[in-house]
């Protein structure tokens, strides 16, 4: 990728930390920012739409994408595969749009390695207890899946210091505003 016109932003945080809610507010406020839609072999949750939250694809379709180098990064998370389709991200960056990749830690490590200029943001929960309560309370996963996600969350939190910015999600509006001002500052400094 040549030096792109838009910013490449990696956005991560443990499952249940409320990162989707914060990001939605950021995307609503920043009209130059787009969310990359990932491909996954996970089954859609109730209310999720193909092409909106994810491209829900089969294992063999995922393998094909990987083989054809169609993914910018990919990882397995709690027994499902997830990956970022390369072309839409390049196209958006080329147009000058800022692109957010909402991905887990292995994806973050791959992107950081390939695109060291990327901006990396990690969302922290106010406390472990709150994270646990949120994850159990949303009712979208089985007990077994919740346990796997909590185990994974513990591992992911250890990577927080590798990110450029750590944002505490004590309040979704406050956290979103903090992110918006970080992005604004970066853009002003790049001018
Ligand atoms: P969920 O199943 O809750 O939608 O996502 C599970 C985890 O996979 C989250 O941490 C999410 O950020 C991550 N994820 C979603 N899309 C991708 C992707 O394209 N690549 C990687 N590496 N992780 C992803």
């Amino acid at each position: 990728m040549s030096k792109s016109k838009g910013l490449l932003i990696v956005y991560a945080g443990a499952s249940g930390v409320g990162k989707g809610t914060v990001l939605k507010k950021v995307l609503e406020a920043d009209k130059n920012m787009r969310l990359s839609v990932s491909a996954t072999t996970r089954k859609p949750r109730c209310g999720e739409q193909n092409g909106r939250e994810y491209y829900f694809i089969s294992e063999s379709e995922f393998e094909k994408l990987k083989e054809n180098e169609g993914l910018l990064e990919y990882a397995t998370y709690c027994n499902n595969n997830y990956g970022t389709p390369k072309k839409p991200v390049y196209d958006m960056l080329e147009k000058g749009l800022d692109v957010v990749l909402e991905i887990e830690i292995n994806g973050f490590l791959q992107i950081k390695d390939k695109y060291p200029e990327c901006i990396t943001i990690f969302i922290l929960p106010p406390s472990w207890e709150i994270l646990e309560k949120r994850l159990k309370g949303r009712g979208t996963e089985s007990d077994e899946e919740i346990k796997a996600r909590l185990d994974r969350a513990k591992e992911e939190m250890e990577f927080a210091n590798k990110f450029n910015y750590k944002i505490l999600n004590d309040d979704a509006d406050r956290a979103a505003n903090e992110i918006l001002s970080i992005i604004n500052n970066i853009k002003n400094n790049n001018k």
Side-chain angles (χ1 to χ4, degrees):
M1 185 166 57
S2 58
K3 186 136 182 58
S4 62
K5 295 178 190 153
L7 301 173
L8 182 61
I9 303 164
V10 175
Y11 181 80
S15 191
V17 75
K19 57 185 189 294
T21 310
V22 173
L23 186 56
K24 197 162 169 259
K25 289 177 187 287
V26 172
L27 289 163
E28 272 164 15
D30 187 337
K31 296 295 170 215
N32 196 54
M33 198 183 283
R34 297 287 183 280
L35 176 63
S36 151
V37 179
S38 295
T40 183
T41 59
R42 163 166 87 57
K43 297 280 161 284
R45 290 185 194 128
C46 188
E48 284 183 334
Q49 262 178 37
N50 189 34
R52 191 180 65 188
E53 280 78 12
Y54 283 104
Y55 294 106
F56 295 99
I57 62 175
S58 65
E59 289 287 348
S60 64
E61 285 170 318
F62 195 90
E63 282 312 309
K64 221 177 271 165
L65 264 178
K66 243 165 77 174
E67 275 164 26
N68 296 338
E69 302 196 356
L71 298 174
L72 211 52
E73 60 70 41
Y74 55 85
T76 303
Y77 178 96
C78 297
N79 296 324
N80 292 304
N81 292 321
Y82 296 81
T84 303
K86 196 186 273 178
K87 189 171 183 310
V89 173
Y90 281 8
D91 288 349
M92 288 188 281
L93 290 173
E94 199 45 44
K95 279 189 198 149
L97 295 164
D98 301 327
V99 182
V100 182
L101 312 183
E102 187 191 330
I103 58 180
E104 51 66 76
I105 296 295
N106 291 305
F108 153 74
L109 294 170
Q110 293 166 51
I111 297 290
K112 186 106 190 96
D113 196 39
K114 282 194 218 164
Y115 312 105
E117 73 283 6
C118 69
I119 292 148
T120 58
I121 300 174
F122 191 85
I123 307 294
L124 291 165
S127 70
W128 183 257
E129 288 69 32
I130 291 178
L131 180 77
E132 214 172 331
K133 213 167 130 196
R134 278 194 197 150
L135 197 50
K136 288 179 178 161
R138 72 183 187 186
T140 46
E141 283 89 15
S142 65
D143 286 352
E144 199 183 328
E145 261 164 13
I146 289 172
K147 191 186 169 308
R149 281 174 180 252
L150 283 170
D151 288 346
R152 182 74 178 230
K154 256 186 208 139
E155 286 168 27
E156 298 217 327
M157 302 262 262
E158 290 178 12
F159 284 86
N161 285 334
K162 292 199 183 294
F163 283 72
N164 300 132
Y165 303 96
K166 286 180 281 179
I167 311 289
L168 182 70
N169 186 16
D170 50 352
D171 175 89
D173 286 309
R174 197 210 57 77
N177 284 332
E178 194 179 339
I179 294 171
L180 288 165
S181 68
I182 286 169
I183 302 298
N184 258 331
N185 281 341
I186 293 170
K187 293 189 137 179
N188 287 334
N189 289 335
N190 284 353
K191 269 181 193 162

